Each structure stands twice: as C-alpha cells, then as structure tokens.
C-alpha cells in the first residue's frame, strides 16, 4: 500500500458475484454439429488475434442425437446471468462434467441438445428474449419432422424463455413448443444481500477500477432479477424501476406461455428448512490492512437491522441498515458463495485478508424458483411448499431439491426428473 493512499483506493481485482471473473478456462467442448449466430457480431475487430472467439448477440451450439438424422427432437438449454458473453465451453463443461452428464443423457434418449448463450448476460432479459425467439424459429425451420420443441433455461435463462414463448403467443406466432422448463429460475425474484451490494459500491467509489461487482449488480439484467436493489451505498433498498418495467412487460404478454406444459425445479428444499444462518450474525469481515474493520452481517428481520460496517484507513466510513426486510440469507433455496468469493479475493492481495463465516447465502429462494410465494416475510420464505395446493404455482409441475445446494447445480435428482417429463 503506497504512502498516503487510502485502503479503499487499492486495486482489488475482478471480484464477481457468481464467480471470480478471472477463473481458469474450461476444457474445450466437443465440436458441435451446427453453430448458429443471432443478432450483431460484437467483436469483429478481434478477428485474427490469438485465441479469438467470435461473439454475437446470441449463439447456439447444436449437438445432434444422431448426426445421420440431423435435428429431430431439439431441447433448447439457455444460459443464465453473469458478466459478459456466455462461455459456451464453460456451459458445456458445467452441463456434462459435473455430478450428472446432462448432454449425454439427453442425446442418449434421442434428444438433440441445443446450448444457447448470450452476447451480454447482463443485458435486458427482454432484449435477449428477442434472440431466443429467433432461435426458436430457426429450430422449427431446421428440424426434420414435426416433433414439438422443448424450450427452457437455467436461472435467468428460464425467464428469458418464459418471456420469449409468452411473447410469441401474444403475437400469434406458432412456437411449436410442447414443454417449457426452468431450472432454479427466480420467477418471484433473486436476492443479493444489501450489505454485499453496499460493499460492492463502496469498492467502486474508492477506486473505479474496483467496479466489476458494482457494475454487475447495477446491470440491467440484475436490476430486473433482484427482489431488492440499491444503486449506491446510501440508497434505501427497494424494487428497481427496471424490475417493475420487466414485470409489467411480463404482464403484457400474459405472464406465462399457455400452450406448453410448464415445469420447473428448485435447487432449494421445499419443506421450509433453511440453511441455519443466524440472522444478524457476521457473514464477512476484513482482517487485513485493506478495509480494516469492514464487516458484513446476515440479513435480520425488522427495522434498523445492521447489514454492513464499511471502513477504510483514510476513506469515509459507512454504516448500512435496512428496514422491514425478512431473514432471507438463510432461506431455503439455491445458494451462491458470494461472501466466500469476496474473502478469497481479498486474501489473494498484498495487505489483504478476510474471512467469511457465512460463505454461502440464498440467491434464489425455493418459493421463487417454483413460483408459489412472494419474498416479503420470513414466514413466506419458509413455506412448506408441499402443503400448498398445486394451483398456487403457475407451473404445472415442479420439484424441490432434497437439500439446499448451489444455485443451478446440475444434479441427478433434478435432471432425471426433468428428463422423465420430456
């Protein structure tokens, strides 16, 4: 740390919400049988450079079940939220090389796997839905025979698919889709702790080079997805205008597609049992010279709940509190290890140091992923979903995981349930 320079002005690095933004590259995916691009070519100036990867507004990698037969029974799998363009090698690796080989299982059952990524995963859901509409029409045009489509997505991708199909129906466009699925998609909203949002904006305020996490949180897609959002450190948490506009756009197309059967899965439990996080407990603390004494707390109920104490050697200290929010960090649902990512990032820096007693928090509550309750109270978040009448959800069928697990984790439990319903 240079003399006279405040800790908050130090370069922290590519801190991200979903993952560190400088993670190693995955192994190359098998060469797809077809590659389709949609929209604009976003990086033509990079052609000819080493390791050049073309980026378009959207791209589909198509893997036939049988290369001799071509495209017959397509299943579209849309990517979710993150920074920058979808990394289709990484997406393939996540689908195929984790706990459950989803791509192989689909192809082995005579299904053509279509991996669909976006040129900008932080762009408006409505804009990306337009490219998905193009992809659906391309699938119909290229398909041999008349087998109906299966269309869905993971996390935000499920919302993109939901809006695209509903919009096509509103415009009387035949999407020829028999089944829609969502995989831990935030139908009632996603959650990023207000204390963590405030810390992200605090980092950027001290040094614009530390803006990766703040920019991600303030992106259009994030504002549309998040149940409560703040744009700057001192803001009052609320529903962002972009989210209100997105919900109104969904309403204008009937909220859901009506023609396909609609199914969904949650990476969280359905019996109301959360992760045991203590409301108000320490979730993250800085232990080094960078941001000494900075502490983030798990969300607690009620008014004047302390969620962040932000400190730097020579910068302006900030105390962040919230009013009227539920104890959502420990709610049942798909989790993100965002506090752990922040701690690991600081631990890798000179003069850094941090610990995360609460490494993971709820990102998509189960009640949101299966569309049964809003997120306004702790009681709603811990609903025993199995005790509710089926009509509480707009989904025709759904499954919650046996435990609270990482958001969009590809598991045999959830994937086999979906495949059985194709």
């Amino acid at each position: 740390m240079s003399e006279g320079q405040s800790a908050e002005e130090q370069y922290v690095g590519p801190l991200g919400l979903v993952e560190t933004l400088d993670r190693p590259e995955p192994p190359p995916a098998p060469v797809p049988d077809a590659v389709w691009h949609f929209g604009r070519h976003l990086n033509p100036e990079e052609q000819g450079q080493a390791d050049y990867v073309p980026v378009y507004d959207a791209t589909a990698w198509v893997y036939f079940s049988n290369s001799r037969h071509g495209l017959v029974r397509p299943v579209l799998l849309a990517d979710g939220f993150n920074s920058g363009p979808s990394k289709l090698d990484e997406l393939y690796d996540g689908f195929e090389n984790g706990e459950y080989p989803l791509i192989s299982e689909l192809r082995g059952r005579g299904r053509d796997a279509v991996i669909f990524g976006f040129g900008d995963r932080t762009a408006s859901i409505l804009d990306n839905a337009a490219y998905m509409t193009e992809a659906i029409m391309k699938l119909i045009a290229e398909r041999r025979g008349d087998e109906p489509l299966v269309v869905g997505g993971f996390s935000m991708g499920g919302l993109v698919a939901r809006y695209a199909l509903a919009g096509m129906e509103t415009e009387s466009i035949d999407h020829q889709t028999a089944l829609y699925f969502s995989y831990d998609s935030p139908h009632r909203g996603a959650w990023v702790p207000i204390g963590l949002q405030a810390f992200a904006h605090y980092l950027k305020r001290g040094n614009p080079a530390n803006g990766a996490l703040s920019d991600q949180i303030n992106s259009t897609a994030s504002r549309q997805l998040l149940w409560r959002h703040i744009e700057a450190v001192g803001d009052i948490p609320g529903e962002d205008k972009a989210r209100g506009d997105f919900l109104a756009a969904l309403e204008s197309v009937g909220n859901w597609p009506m023609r396909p059967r609609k199914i969904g899965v949650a990476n969280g439990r359905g019996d109301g049992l959360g992760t045991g996080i203590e409301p108000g407990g320490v979730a993250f603390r800085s232990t080094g010279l960078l941001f000494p004494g900075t502490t983030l707390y798990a969300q607690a109920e009620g008014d004047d709940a302390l969620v962040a104490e932000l400190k730097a050697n020579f910068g302006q200290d900030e105390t962040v509190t919230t009013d009227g929010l539920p104890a959502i960090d420990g709610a049942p649902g798909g989790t993100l290890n965002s506090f752990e990512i922040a701690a690991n990032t600081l631990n890798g820096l000179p003069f850094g140091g941090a610990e995360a007693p609460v490494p993971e928090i709820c990102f998509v509550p189960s009640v949101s992923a299966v569309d049964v309750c809003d997120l306004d109270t702790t009681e709603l978040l811990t609903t025993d979903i199995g005790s509710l009448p089926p009509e509480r959800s707009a989904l025709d069928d759904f499954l919650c995981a046996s435990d609270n697990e990482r958001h969009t984790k590809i598991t045999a439990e959830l994937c086999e349930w979906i495949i059985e319903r194709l």
Side-chain angles (χ1 to χ4, degrees), residues 190-192 194 197 222-232 234-244 321-323 325:
W191 168 255
V192 171
I194 299 301
Q197 294 189 46
S222 175
R223 292 171 184 263
Q224 292 171 330
L225 293 169
L226 288 180
W227 176 66
R228 294 292 180 265
H229 174 267
I230 59 170
E231 185 176 0
D235 289 353
I236 297 173
E239 181 181 279
D240 192 86
K241 181 180 183 300
R243 176 161 180 78
T321 62
T322 63
D323 294 330
L325 296 185

Side-chain angles (χ1 to χ4, degrees), residues 176-341:
Q176 299 186 31
T177 299
L179 184 72
Y180 159 86
F181 76 90
S182 64
Y183 200 109
D184 213 36
S185 297
H187 294 296
R188 302 283 184 113
W191 168 255
V192 171
I194 299 301
L196 183 60
Q197 294 189 46
F199 184 46
H201 304 322
Y202 189 73
L203 287 173
K204 184 175 182 179
R205 188 176 72 183
N207 182 353
N210 293 331
L213 182 55
S214 176
D215 293 345
Q216 195 177 49
I217 289 169
N218 280 341
S219 68
T220 301
S222 175
R223 292 171 184 263
Q224 292 171 330
L225 293 169
L226 288 180
W227 176 66
R228 294 292 180 265
H229 174 267
I230 59 170
E231 185 176 0
V233 175
D235 289 353
I236 297 173
E239 181 181 279
D240 192 86
K241 181 180 183 300
R243 176 161 180 78
D245 291 345
F246 169 65
L247 294 177
L250 267 178
E251 178 72 26
S252 72
V253 295
N255 271 314
W256 292 85
M258 293 294 105
R259 289 180 55 194
R261 178 170 169 79
K262 299 178 287 294
I263 64 173
V265 297
N267 282 114
R269 299 176 68 115
D271 59 3
L273 184 62
T275 58
I277 293 173
E278 178 187 357
V282 173
F284 166 95
R285 65 163 65 89
S286 174
T287 59
L289 295 179
L290 294 177
F291 314 104
T294 287
T295 306
L296 309 181
Y297 300 89
Q299 183 66 55
E301 291 182 287
D303 293 342
D304 203 29
L306 178 65
V307 294
E309 295 174 303
L310 307 175
K311 301 179 181 181
N313 284 322
F314 303 103
Q316 178 182 345
D317 293 350
E318 299 279 0
T319 298
V320 182
T321 62
T322 63
D323 294 330
L325 296 185
I328 189 171
D329 286 338
T335 65
L336 281 184
N337 62 331
S338 301
F339 286 128
E340 181 180 54
I341 291 171

Side-chain angles (χ1 to χ4, degrees), residues 30 63-65 77 92 95-97 100-113 115 419:
Y63 292 91
F64 299 147
S65 172
L77 312 163
Y92 183 97
F95 287 154
E96 182 67 9
N97 298 321
Y100 185 82
L102 177 58
I103 303 300
S104 293
E105 291 292 335
L106 285 170
R107 298 173 76 190
R109 287 168 167 80
R111 296 285 180 172
D112 310 300
I115 299 176
I419 286 175

Side-chain angles (χ1 to χ4, degrees), residues 122-143:
T122 65
S124 169
I125 293 171
L126 307 181
D127 291 344
N128 279 328
Y131 305 123
M132 184 177 286
T133 300
E134 292 183 40
I136 292 168
M137 298 306 296
K138 177 76 169 178
L139 287 171
I140 294 170
E142 296 291 329
R143 176 195 53 187

